[in-house]
Amino acid sequence: MTAALTPRNVVIAVLMLLLAAVPVYAAVTANTFLVTLFTRVIILGMAATSLNLILGYGGMVSFGHAVYLGIGGYAVGILAQEGASSGFVQWPVAILVSALFALLVGALSLRTRGVYFIMITLAFAQLVYYFGVGLDRYGADDGLTIGRRSQFAGLLNLSDRTQFYYLCLALLVVTIYLIARLVNSRFGMVIQGARSNDRRMRAIGFPTFRYRLTAFVIAGAICGLAGALLANHTGFISPATMHWTRSGDLIVMVVLGGMASSFGPLIGAVALLSLEEALPVLIRVSASPMFGDAAVRMAEYWQIVLGPLFLLVVLFARGGIDGLLAGVRRG
Amino acid sequence: MLLFIEQCLNGLQFGLLLFLLAAGLTLVFGIMDLVNLAHGSLYMLGAYFAATFAAWTDSFVLGALLALAATLVVGMALEVVALRRLYGRDHLDHVLGTFGLILFFNELVRLVWGPAGMSLSLPMWLIPPVEILPGLFYPTYRIAIILTALLVALFLYVLVMRTRLGMLVRAGASNREMTGALGVNISLLYTLVFGLGAALAGLAGLMQAPILTVQIGMGENILILAFVVIIIGGIGSIRGAFIAAILVGLIDTIGRAFLPDLLRLVLSSRGASTVAPAMSSMMIYLLMAIVLVLRPEGLFPVSSK
């Protein structure tokens, strides 16, 4: 597969270069906010990429994917509180518990179709959400502050913003690469085939349930790792991380960026989180000639623009941003 | 024993409120095949409208009636402007589009009514409790909710099963093209159904308003419960929604009322009061998961079309 110089590849290359340059730019301008923001973008991009495996390629609309962010986060938080602050313990536990939970949820919910699948994945996520609310020992509703970031025996210092940033970026690139390899393999062809027509796939002899379940577990495990990263990033974990609206955000990222595309979810995460930062500014700047000081107050209500934007994407840009880029012809 | 009866009544009342919300959802879902996450926003709007109109007119009943009309209009406008474009699309598109609408409505409410919540006070005649059993006093307002919701349930049943309009709705649900070809204005019909669903959500919101505070996002958690109800009951089935709503209402309320005492046997009292509400919420989702695994079509599936 040779990479052609299409507009889409150029955009992706530029995006990756920009992401790699963020800490450098931040160091020069002493702007730590950008590093914090883009660490978050990268981690959520990783979560969205894992969701894309099942949502985009597998056609399984999981409406509870944020639950793995929570599980991964609580694995780090609870272990840290109990005195096990080594990342070599915390992160594998985060991945393993997420994978096991995904196995349970997948085994039960993949028997259902369509909207029932959406709702049963949501139900399991709500189950864990309320479990978190009831976790009296670990902060319950108020959440758990993680005093100490995961320790890696002196190899890595996660308290260093730049090191942590590049670690997240590296893990994101590995994730995108692995999923791209996976979906182009025989395994990936089977889950994509099952998305198009499950009955035919079974008729020609593929036990699709096992394939889809495996994909579901892989997606959960990767998102669990993203959760461990997120908890390290914010130094805090609470049930709000797995609120159903967070799962909605992940779906938005995947669809906004472009389903069933390797870089789509990352583009979606960048676009969504940048919009959240940029919309208030845009509103303020564009409204101030007309409304003067009132523009500052208007900018507070930026979500009033963001919401209908989702609707417009659904109605007019089905392939998401990646689809638009792919549609642009050269010259 | 009296406490148990009282909690059962509370559960019934909460269940009936859920039914009002779920009935609109299941109608829209069953007939237009639309997953409408913004249904909770209509519930919220109903409450805000009622609080505002009641303050203007100085009358709870008048305010409630105006709020119903307003939610109906908003619902129909929403259908015409945005949602009818989503019919026939993927469920994922519905989830995404209406998720955007939730953000829109939350901000709109913040813009119009401000970030602080509102309260809706009851008229004097609904406040004093009545003695429904010897020694058992029960708030008049909760009885009023139970009676109103039961009347609405009856009205819905008659409307859908016994009137010409209901017949057209059912015909439109089973075969849109054929019903249209017979000269029925399907898009008008759908707008009406959506408006009806919106008004039911608004009614649920405004009746809940005096019990809880009116605030932004109040429709989000209860919306998920309403979805649980229609999934347990079977999508499109009003009867199923009715039974499932009462079931969920009873489990939630009785769980909250009696689990703390049970848990206190094994936990500290502070621990029990944190864990119990979480556990009763978990029980509902567990019930839904079990129902979906055992009977993926819900308890009362609509007979195959």
Side-chain angles (χ1 to χ4, degrees):
Chain A
M1 199 175 87
T2 50
L5 199 66
T6 58
R8 174 202 199 175
N9 287 346
V10 171
V11 169
I12 290 169
V14 170
L15 178 71
M16 295 313 286
L17 284 176
L18 283 178
L19 282 179
V22 163
V24 180
Y25 175 80
V28 171
T29 58
N31 180 349
T32 53
F33 169 72
L34 265 186
V35 180
T36 310
L37 172 66
F38 275 94
T39 310
R40 191 177 165 76
V41 168
I42 287 171
I43 294 170
L44 291 179
M46 189 169 152
T49 304
S50 74
L51 176 62
N52 189 34
L53 173 65
I54 51 175
L55 177 72
Y57 294 103
M60 300 169 240
V61 185
S62 167
F63 199 4
H65 207 62
V67 76
Y68 306 107
L69 284 178
I71 292 177
Y74 269 106
V76 170
I78 290 175
L79 284 172
Q81 172 134 332
E82 299 300 337
S85 59
S86 165
F88 293 119
V89 177
Q90 289 178 349
W91 293 21
V93 167
I95 295 172
L96 205 67
V97 176
S98 299
L100 283 176
F101 186 70
L103 183 67
L104 175 77
V105 173
L108 294 174
S109 56
L110 284 172
R111 293 168 203 281
T112 61
R113 296 279 136 169
V115 77
Y116 292 98
F117 182 80
I118 301 180
M119 290 302 150
I120 196 169
T121 46
L122 175 67
F124 278 111
Q126 289 291 98
L127 209 66
V128 179
Y129 172 81
Y130 283 108
F131 185 75
V133 170
L135 268 182
D136 191 34
R137 187 177 159 81
Y138 303 105
D141 217 0
D142 300 327
L144 180 63
T145 306
I146 302 163
R148 203 156 172 234
R149 292 191 169 191
S150 302
Q151 304 295 311
F152 281 92
L155 291 173
L156 277 167
N157 176 13
L158 299 194
S159 304
D160 182 300
R161 275 205 184 82
T162 314
Q163 278 190 32
F164 185 59
Y165 181 89
Y166 281 117
L167 175 69
C168 292
L169 187 60
L171 287 173
L172 171 75
V173 170
V174 171
T175 301
I176 292 178
Y177 175 74
L178 280 182
I179 289 186
R181 285 294 301 266
L182 195 63
V183 294
N184 288 312
S185 68
R186 180 173 174 279
F187 174 85
M189 293 301 158
V190 174
I191 62 163
Q192 292 185 68
R195 174 191 63 189
S196 308
N197 195 327
D198 193 53
R199 187 176 291 181
R200 274 189 199 168
M201 288 302 287
R202 273 184 283 138
I204 58 174
F206 287 104
T208 52
F209 179 80
R210 268 183 255 162
Y211 282 84
R212 299 169 78 216
L213 183 58
T214 309
F216 198 84
V217 171
I218 294 172
I222 294 174
C223 196
L225 178 61
L229 293 177
L230 193 64
N232 269 293
H233 176 53
T234 51
F236 178 71
I237 178 76
S238 80
T241 313
M242 28 184 184
H243 195 252
W244 66 272
T245 49
R246 296 282 84 76
S247 297
D249 286 342
L250 289 179
I251 295 182
V252 169
M253 287 173 197
V254 174
V255 179
L256 184 66
M259 282 197 289
S261 121
S262 297
F263 284 89
L266 173 64
I267 297 176
V270 172
L272 182 66
L273 295 174
S274 314
L275 266 180
E276 287 184 5
E277 297 297 328
L279 265 181
V281 181
L282 269 178
I283 294 175
R284 197 168 63 227
V285 172
S286 59
S288 62
M290 226 198 293
F291 299 98
D293 288 345
V296 178
R297 262 188 348 103
M298 285 168 70
E300 275 176 41
Y301 302 102
W302 54 273
Q303 286 198 350
I304 221 163
V305 182
L306 187 68
L309 210 63
F310 293 171
L311 200 61
L312 292 179
V313 169
V314 168
L315 290 176
F316 301 112
R318 294 246 24 215
I321 298 172
D322 190 68
L324 292 178
L325 290 174
V328 180
R329 292 270 171 275
R330 273 168 71 197
Chain B
M1 190 60 207
L2 283 181
L3 180 68
F4 184 71
I5 295 175
E6 189 180 341
Q7 291 300 343
C8 282
L9 281 172
N10 283 344
L12 179 69
Q13 177 254 312
F14 182 55
L16 284 168
L17 263 178
L18 271 180
F19 165 70
L20 291 182
L21 201 59
L25 208 56
T26 207
L27 273 177
V28 169
F29 211 126
I31 294 169
M32 284 91 109
D33 194 30
L34 175 79
V35 184
N36 180 21
L37 295 182
H39 202 66
S41 302
L42 296 163
Y43 167 90
M44 171 178 70
L45 279 180
Y48 270 95
F49 279 140
T52 312
F53 290 139
W56 282 358
T57 58
D58 226 7
S59 151
F60 179 78
V61 176
L62 208 58
L65 287 175
L66 282 174
L68 265 188
T71 333
L72 181 86
V73 171
V74 171
M76 283 166 55
L78 182 66
E79 199 268 352
V80 172
V81 173
L83 293 179
R84 67 166 45 167
R85 281 158 239 285
L86 289 174
Y87 298 155
R89 303 288 283 267
D90 215 29
H91 283 142
L92 177 62
D93 290 355
H94 300 166
V95 168
L96 195 65
T98 54
F99 186 70
L101 285 174
I102 294 181
L103 297 184
F104 173 76
F105 277 113
N106 279 349
E107 282 307 89
L108 189 70
V109 165
R110 200 152 74 89
L111 191 70
V112 176
W113 282 281
M118 296 176 86
S119 63
L120 175 60
S121 48
L122 285 172
M124 280 314 286
W125 54 274
L126 279 174
I127 292 175
V130 279
E131 189 170 16
I132 46 172
L133 281 175
L136 176 62
F137 288 88
Y138 199 67
T140 315
Y141 181 61
R142 285 180 187 259
I143 296 175
I145 292 182
I146 292 176
L147 292 180
T148 314
L150 285 175
L151 274 177
V152 170
L154 186 70
F155 164 76
L156 271 182
Y157 176 77
V158 173
L159 181 76
V160 175
M161 304 310 280
R162 292 281 181 271
T163 65
R164 187 176 168 79
L165 183 67
M167 194 179 74
L168 292 179
V169 166
R170 280 179 290 138
S174 61
N175 193 331
R176 186 189 162 122
E177 280 76 26
M178 184 56 89
T179 316
L182 292 172
V184 178
N185 187 343
I186 288 283
S187 40
L188 179 68
L189 195 66
Y190 279 14
T191 309
L192 284 178
V193 170
F194 194 88
L196 176 68
L200 288 176
L203 179 64
L206 75 91
M207 290 208 300
Q208 186 74 300
I211 299 179
L212 302 170
T213 52
V214 181
Q215 60 188 7
I216 294 165
M218 64 186 277
E220 286 169 18
N221 287 329
I222 201 166
L223 168 82
I224 302 296
L225 275 187
F227 266 112
V228 171
V229 164
I230 69 172
I231 296 285
I232 292 179
I235 288 174
S237 159
I238 292 195
R239 190 173 58 123
F242 186 76
I243 294 168
I246 291 177
L247 199 63
V248 169
L250 283 175
I251 291 180
D252 188 68
T253 309
I254 292 180
R256 263 164 222 272
F258 296 105
L259 270 180
D261 291 331
L262 277 179
L263 287 175
R264 233 164 249 136
L265 300 175
V266 286
L267 288 170
S268 68
S269 84
R270 194 179 134 264
S273 55
T274 324
V275 175
M279 262 182 75
S280 62
S281 296
M282 284 171 71
M283 268 163 32
I284 294 169
Y285 295 103
L286 207 60
L287 173 73
M288 168 172 157
I290 292 170
V291 167
L292 271 186
V293 170
L294 298 180
R295 300 194 58 166
E297 299 289 297
L299 293 179
F300 302 91
V302 178
S303 50
S304 60
K305 295 163 190 169

